[in-house]
Amino acid sequence: MPPAHPLDDDKLREECGVFGVVGVTDAANFVALGLHALQHRGQEAGGIVTHDAETGFNQARRMGLVRDNFTSADTMQILPGTIGIGHVRYSTAGSKGQTAIRDVQPFFGEFSMGGAAIAHNGNITNAMSLRRELIERGSIFQSSSDSECIIHLMARSMGRTIPDRMEEALRKVEGAFSIVAMTRTKLIGCRDPLGVRPLVLGKIGDGWALASETCALDIIGAEFVREIKPGEMVVITAEKGVESHFPFRPNRARFCIFEHVYFSRPDSILGGRSVYETRENIGRELAKEAPVDADLVCPVPDSGTPAAIGYSLQSGIPYAMGIIRNQYMGRTFIEPTESIRNMGVRLKLNVNRALIKGKRVILVDDSVVRGTTSRKIKEMILDAGAAEVHFRIASPPTAWPCFYGVDTPQREKLLAATMSEEEMQTHLGVDSLKFISLDGLYRAVGEAKGRDKNAPAYCDACFSGEYPVAPSDMIEQGFQAKTAAE
């Protein structure tokens, strides 16, 4: 697969999206639609598994986008059945940037009581130690994915049913996971005890659906029922409906706050809140915390748009589309020579010169990771004749890597890990640079008093360095987690 576009290399990226249905005719078609709606969560590869009474389990795993792989009649005909699950992938564990077909989910296993398929969103932080232990006991792995550990743990369980085996396996897993799985008749969904990654339940006719986000329910015309609770496992059949279990020790939820900032689609609902409205609130908080005299508020499209609208509404400074995104430029279409790489951002974004010339411009973006794209965008704005460029960032400085299912550079490659805000401003060459505070971000997502330092309501490790689940594999490799003194 060709390398991702240079603009995307400077963004944090989610690992996966998961989707499943039961009790519908032609389940694969529903799964394909759901995965299409979740494509923003993973663009490298996708897979679908279904079960049909006559043909048994059927599967198709492909590299690339859903629209290119799961729309033809030939492909969908090999996926009959009334139950199915699917997965879209962007690799974080395993061979980063080099996804092999063997790593594409869902994974399938045959057990004494029948077959089961599983798809996982998140990251298992003790996968390396689990893998070593399983291999020493005779397990043979077929992929480099951490998710395969769950299948092997299930195979070694003595549980009488597949849901029992899954419960036992997941009790040995650390980290973050939202899972959809299936047997011949059962659709299973589960979230880790902290509920770091999202999973929602929907109703469609006489059937049921599970999805990473509510936007995937919308596309199939399903009614949003509720979120799967942290630490909850649901077992769903067409005949009995939803049965709920809580196999884990109760824990205080720590949902990923970056889902509100960037990962989730703006038309999704998280925790009963519109993602779009939350991002607009982030922009409003940012305008309160970091005002500046300017002529225009412009988003870095598309992820900065709702926050820029909020900043404009709060500040009274006009909102304008000062940067236009080429919607059809997904990946570099020319051989990426050095000269073409230097054009990378211009292939995807172009400045509206007539609007920008002579103006003091506030650029609103969702985050600064390495800073490479921010510098190029600033240069484009100045080349177009802007009088001043001010960056306002709709998240706190990203100074720590995520180990829960988000692709994050090593800490030393994160700009905020090695520079202060003032140093970053100088490095980027802008007239001013301000990030929303962590308290401001919490207020924007509905925590009126800001962040409770003793009991934060979200996982914000990428900003605070406080990991709710110790990244044991990474610590074993020498990663220095934040100390209490810091």
Side-chain angles (χ1 to χ4, degrees):
M1 192 163 190
H5 190 277
L7 178 64
D8 296 326
D9 287 342
D10 201 25
K11 291 288 184 184
L12 299 182
R13 288 190 281 190
E14 247 286 10
E15 182 188 26
C16 305
V18 295
F19 189 87
V21 289
V22 64
V24 297
T25 303
D26 297 325
N29 291 328
F30 287 92
V31 175
L33 286 168
L35 294 181
H36 180 71
L38 298 172
Q39 190 77 84
H40 60 288
R41 301 184 75 89
Q43 297 93 48
E44 286 189 354
I48 296 176
V49 174
T50 63
H51 183 272
D52 177 70
E54 293 185 6
T55 61
F57 284 95
N58 312 280
Q59 59 182 318
R61 296 184 290 170
R62 304 284 190 270
M63 306 303 299
L65 302 177
V66 174
R67 71 182 182 206
D68 297 329
N69 292 311
F70 296 103
T71 54
S72 72
D74 289 344
T75 299
M76 303 315 285
Q77 282 175 0
I78 67 171
L79 296 168
T82 60
I83 181 171
I85 64 171
H87 185 272
V88 286
R89 170 185 169 85
Y90 173 76
S91 61
T92 62
S95 51
K96 285 193 178 184
Q98 300 177 13
T99 296
I101 197 68
R102 64 178 186 155
D103 293 324
V104 180
Q105 299 182 45
F107 291 132
F108 178 79
E110 196 73 60
F111 305 99
S112 58
M113 68 286 293
I118 186 169
H120 165 223
N121 169 218
N123 217 42
I124 298 172
T125 56
N126 64 335
M128 288 173 56
S129 55
L130 284 175
R131 192 182 184 98
R132 276 199 309 269
E133 179 184 338
L134 287 162
I135 289 173
E136 287 171 0
R137 294 184 178 183
S139 293
I140 300 173
F141 280 75
Q142 302 296 318
S143 78
S144 64
S145 172
D146 60 338
S147 309
E148 193 183 351
C149 288
I150 300 170
I151 289 284
H152 288 283
L153 289 169
M154 289 171 64
R156 293 190 167 274
S157 167
M158 298 304 291
R160 295 177 57 192
T161 68
I162 287 174
D164 288 343
R165 290 190 174 209
M166 185 176 293
E167 285 188 18
E168 185 177 330
L170 293 177
R171 289 193 192 103
K172 298 176 182 178
V173 164
E174 298 173 5
F177 53 85
S178 281
I179 287 170
V180 295
M182 60 174 281
T183 68
R184 289 169 293 183
T185 58
K186 296 172 181 173
L187 177 65
I188 305 167
C190 188
R191 287 179 79 186
D192 69 81
L194 298 180
V196 177
R197 304 254 70 85
L199 189 65
V200 297
L201 174 68
K203 188 81 170 68
I204 176 163
D206 294 329
W208 298 87
L210 292 167
S212 290
E213 294 183 39
T214 60
C215 63
L217 301 179
D218 295 337
I219 199 172
I220 65 168
E223 174 192 357
F224 170 58
V225 177
R226 64 178 177 87
E227 295 184 358
I228 303 303
K229 298 175 183 177
E232 181 183 14
M233 175 182 282
V234 291
V235 180
I236 311 171
T237 60
E239 296 78 20
K240 296 182 180 179
V242 181
E243 297 178 3
S244 179
H245 309 270
F246 288 88
F248 309 107
R249 184 178 301 170
N251 214 323
R252 184 167 45 85
R254 296 288 297 275
F255 183 63
C256 171
I257 200 166
F258 216 90
E259 290 278 356
H260 286 287
V261 174
Y262 175 66
F263 296 138
S264 294
R265 259 179 43 169
D267 51 335
S268 285
I269 305 294
L270 292 178
R273 299 174 59 86
S274 158
V275 174
Y276 179 91
E277 290 179 3
T278 296
R279 290 177 187 168
E280 186 180 294
N281 288 341
I282 291 173
R284 289 180 179 274
E285 286 290 337
L286 189 53
K288 294 175 187 175
E289 292 186 349
V292 62
D293 288 333
D295 302 305
L296 296 175
V297 178
C298 300
V300 176
D302 291 314
S303 53
T305 300
I309 291 171
Y311 195 104
S312 172
L313 291 171
Q314 183 65 38
S315 65
I317 300 172
Y319 169 89
M321 293 296 292
I323 301 174
I324 306 301
R325 183 185 183 101
N326 180 356
Q327 301 293 344
Y328 301 97
M329 186 56 230
R331 291 174 178 269
T332 306
F333 62 94
I334 307 173
E335 183 66 25
T337 61
E338 186 63 32
S339 61
I340 293 298
R341 273 196 294 268
N342 290 337
M343 295 181 193
V345 174
R346 295 179 187 271
L347 287 168
K348 204 161 195 178
L349 300 177
N350 192 42
V351 177
N352 191 341
R353 290 175 174 269
L355 201 64
I356 291 297
K357 189 175 181 180
K359 301 293 197 309
R360 298 168 298 170
V361 179
I362 300 170
L363 289 178
V364 180
D365 204 355
D366 60 90
S367 61
V368 172
V369 182
R370 294 182 180 91
T372 51
T373 299
S374 298
R375 291 184 70 175
K376 291 173 182 176
I377 291 173
K378 177 267 303 185
E379 290 166 3
M380 289 168 58
I381 294 291
L382 288 177
D383 288 347
E388 296 175 6
V389 180
H390 303 271
F391 263 111
R392 293 295 180 267
I393 309 302
S395 63
T398 305
W400 296 85
C402 175
F403 301 115
Y404 306 132
V406 177
D407 179 56
T408 317
Q410 294 177 336
R411 186 162 192 246
E412 57 269 22
K413 294 182 180 179
L414 294 168
L415 205 63
T418 58
M419 296 184 185
S420 67
E421 192 173 275
E422 292 74 21
E423 290 170 332
M424 282 189 276
Q425 177 182 331
T426 302
H427 174 76
L428 296 176
V430 292
D431 292 280
S432 71
L433 169 69
K434 294 293 181 182
F435 296 80
I436 193 171
S437 68
L438 197 49
D439 279 335
L441 179 57
Y442 268 75
R443 286 192 293 270
V445 298
E447 300 291 323
K449 296 182 180 179
R451 183 180 190 265
D452 183 340
K453 294 178 176 59
N454 297 316
Y458 290 87
C459 175
D460 53 31
C462 55
F463 308 132
S464 68
E466 298 175 15
Y467 293 95
V469 180
S472 52
D473 282 345
M474 300 308 299
I475 291 171
E476 184 180 309
Q477 294 184 62
F479 173 76
Q480 298 293 316
K482 189 174 182 179
T483 64
E486 294 179 277

